[in-house]
Amino acid sequence: MSMLAWSARVDASYLECPCHSTSLCKPIQVGPRTEVVAFSVYRDTWKYYNWTHLTTIALFESQIPDIDPHLLCYAHSRNVRLVTHASFPVKQLSNQTHIDEWIKDKLTMVTFDASYWPRCSFGHCYNNVAISKIVDFVLTMNYDEAGPFVASANSPFLNTVYSLQAYKSAGAKLSKIVTIQPWYGYDYKCIDSLVNDVCFFLPDKQLYASLAEIVNRMSQAVLGKSDKRWKLLSNDDSGKGSIQYGGVQALLHSNKTSGPKWSKSSASPYLNYKNSKGEVHQVWYDDPKSLYIKYNYAIKAGVRGIGMWTADFPDYMDYPKDSEDMWKCINEVISKTQPYRSYL
């Protein structure tokens, strides 16, 4: 088992310096600032980013051999870090010598990907609050928060609120938290026609079997006859698939959907459509409006910064204006909102 951290060492140690100045191939040296962290998974989409407030681009180590060398030069010329993930063996966490050597070899900055909840959730059982006190900052993954059975928001606004409140109540400083929001959504295949815009997305037999199992577990727990642990059902089934924001853009521009709708309870957009087979689908996603609400709240709350998974998911070529609006909501939040520390 290993921990996932992020390292600010995409520099000349990975490739020959391609820049006009060798200084651009060295890790940048900047002090604390409001972070805007963009996760990147594709090679060339960085050319379409809005770099106004961008501070960090997070890559995966597998991307480094094929990295566009011009990305390094341009990013460093704008004081934007390029970082890669670095796995640290958990068994060595008590070995200070190993820790010192690993840091010296790999790192100039250490951050940590964490659940949006400070305690155990969905198999993630690290002490996120304790970790937040020894790393530069923690990136909370505020997405994949929808429950089973009924289509719903990927990242409801109140979940972001509760997430930050929970971290603070558990002893974390919000100035060590960067909240990462989704630039993607989920496309649900509804098992029947919509009633009041409610979409059930599991097959009937599986739905009723699952509900029966829940009732059975509850009755056993009440009677004290079972010590079985609850198991969360996976959402990764044929009734649900992820959709990048570019895919959402394509649907909206096709004029074959209900158009964007708005959920007041989750402060999230969604849409309905029928595919070529006549099957009813419901898509929940984030757009500039929903992202602005969450980013704005987080910055006001006093977080270290904000970001997205991933900056590559808009369709920059076919829908440039829609894509630019995603970045504009970040720029508006950073430019107009003054962070303060006593909001929560």
Side-chain angles (χ1 to χ4, degrees):
M1 177 179 281
S2 63
M3 290 180 10
L4 183 65
W6 294 88
S7 155
R9 281 293 295 273
V10 180
D11 53 31
S13 63
Y14 285 94
L15 67 167
E16 280 190 37
C17 183
C19 310
H20 68 276
S21 171
T22 56
S23 64
L24 293 177
C25 292
K26 298 177 181 179
I28 65 170
Q29 303 295 327
V30 293
R33 54 184 174 173
T34 299
E35 295 286 342
V36 176
V37 179
F39 283 85
S40 177
V41 292
Y42 302 146
R43 187 177 190 271
D44 295 322
T45 49
W46 66 270
K47 300 171 185 177
Y48 302 98
Y49 296 171
N50 185 315
W51 292 70
T52 304
H53 295 288
L54 192 59
T55 63
T56 304
I57 297 177
L59 307 166
F60 286 88
E61 208 163 18
S62 59
Q63 296 172 264
I64 300 305
D66 191 43
I67 190 173
D68 184 341
H70 299 292
L71 170 58
L72 174 69
C73 308
Y74 188 74
H76 282 196
S77 73
R78 298 188 65 98
N79 271 342
V80 174
R81 303 184 194 93
L82 294 186
V83 302
T84 61
H85 83 277
S87 295
F88 185 88
V90 172
K91 291 182 178 179
Q92 297 293 343
L93 283 173
S94 60
N95 186 336
Q96 190 60 51
T97 300
H98 186 93
I99 292 173
D100 292 341
E101 291 177 351
W102 189 79
I103 290 175
K104 182 179 179 181
D105 178 59
K106 293 182 179 293
L107 306 177
T108 58
M109 179 187 74
V110 179
T111 66
F112 181 74
D113 274 8
S115 167
Y116 57 86
W117 202 246
R119 300 176 182 85
C120 286
S121 61
F122 300 97
H124 298 278
C125 288
Y126 299 117
N127 190 334
N128 296 334
V129 173
I131 291 172
S132 73
K133 296 177 181 179
I134 59 175
V135 299
D136 290 274
F137 53 85
V138 164
L139 302 111
T140 58
M141 298 174 283
N142 290 88
Y143 44 80
D144 289 344
E145 299 166 1
F149 311 139
V150 179
S152 57
N154 186 16
S155 177
F157 167 59
L158 285 180
N159 282 25
T160 295
V161 175
Y162 297 150
S163 170
L164 295 180
Q165 289 178 339
Y167 267 94
K168 185 175 181 180
S169 297
K173 292 183 178 180
L174 295 187
S175 59
K176 300 290 288 289
I177 302 294
V178 173
T179 175
I180 304 298
Q181 298 289 336
W183 283 21
Y184 71 97
Y186 281 99
D187 185 335
Y188 298 88
K189 184 174 70 175
C190 309
I191 62 174
D192 206 342
S193 57
L194 302 174
V195 178
N196 295 325
D197 262 2
V198 176
C199 167
F200 288 93
F201 66 90
L202 289 178
D204 282 323
K205 291 182 179 179
Q206 186 174 351
L207 172 60
Y208 292 128
S210 299
L211 290 174
E213 174 67 11
I214 290 174
V215 171
N216 181 51
R217 291 285 183 89
M218 290 177 67
S219 63
Q220 288 178 337
V222 171
L223 296 174
K225 294 182 179 179
S226 174
D227 61 354
K228 292 182 180 180
R229 294 188 178 185
W230 285 75
K231 291 184 179 180
L232 295 174
L233 298 174
S234 171
N235 287 338
D236 296 325
D237 54 68
S238 59
K240 173 183 177 181
S242 61
I243 180 170
Q244 298 180 9
Y245 187 63
V248 175
Q249 293 169 289
L251 282 172
L252 288 172
H253 284 275
S254 71
N255 296 319
K256 297 179 180 180
T257 75
S258 63
K261 296 191 171 190
W262 184 257
S263 165
K264 291 183 179 179
S265 61
S266 63
S268 301
Y270 67 99
L271 62 85
N272 304 318
Y273 75 96
K274 288 185 179 180
N275 64 13
S276 58
K277 299 178 181 179
E279 297 169 329
V280 178
H281 283 243
Q282 190 170 83
V283 179
W284 288 79
Y285 58 100
D286 276 275
D287 65 3
K289 179 181 177 180
S290 65
L291 290 170
Y292 181 91
I293 292 170
K294 292 182 287 185
Y295 286 147
N296 184 63
Y297 176 85
I299 291 296
K300 280 188 173 182
V303 297
R304 178 69 167 268
I306 56 181
M308 77 293 292
W309 177 266
T310 78
D312 299 337
F313 286 169
D315 188 336
Y316 294 98
M317 294 293 291
D318 290 338
Y319 309 108
K321 183 182 183 303
D322 293 351
S323 302
E324 178 61 19
D325 286 344
M326 297 288 274
W327 289 96
K328 282 183 178 179
C329 84
I330 289 179
N331 294 342
E332 289 178 7
V333 167
I334 300 298
S335 298
K336 298 179 181 180
T337 307
Q338 295 298 320
Y340 53 104
R341 304 303 179 195
S342 59
Y343 190 79
L344 293 180

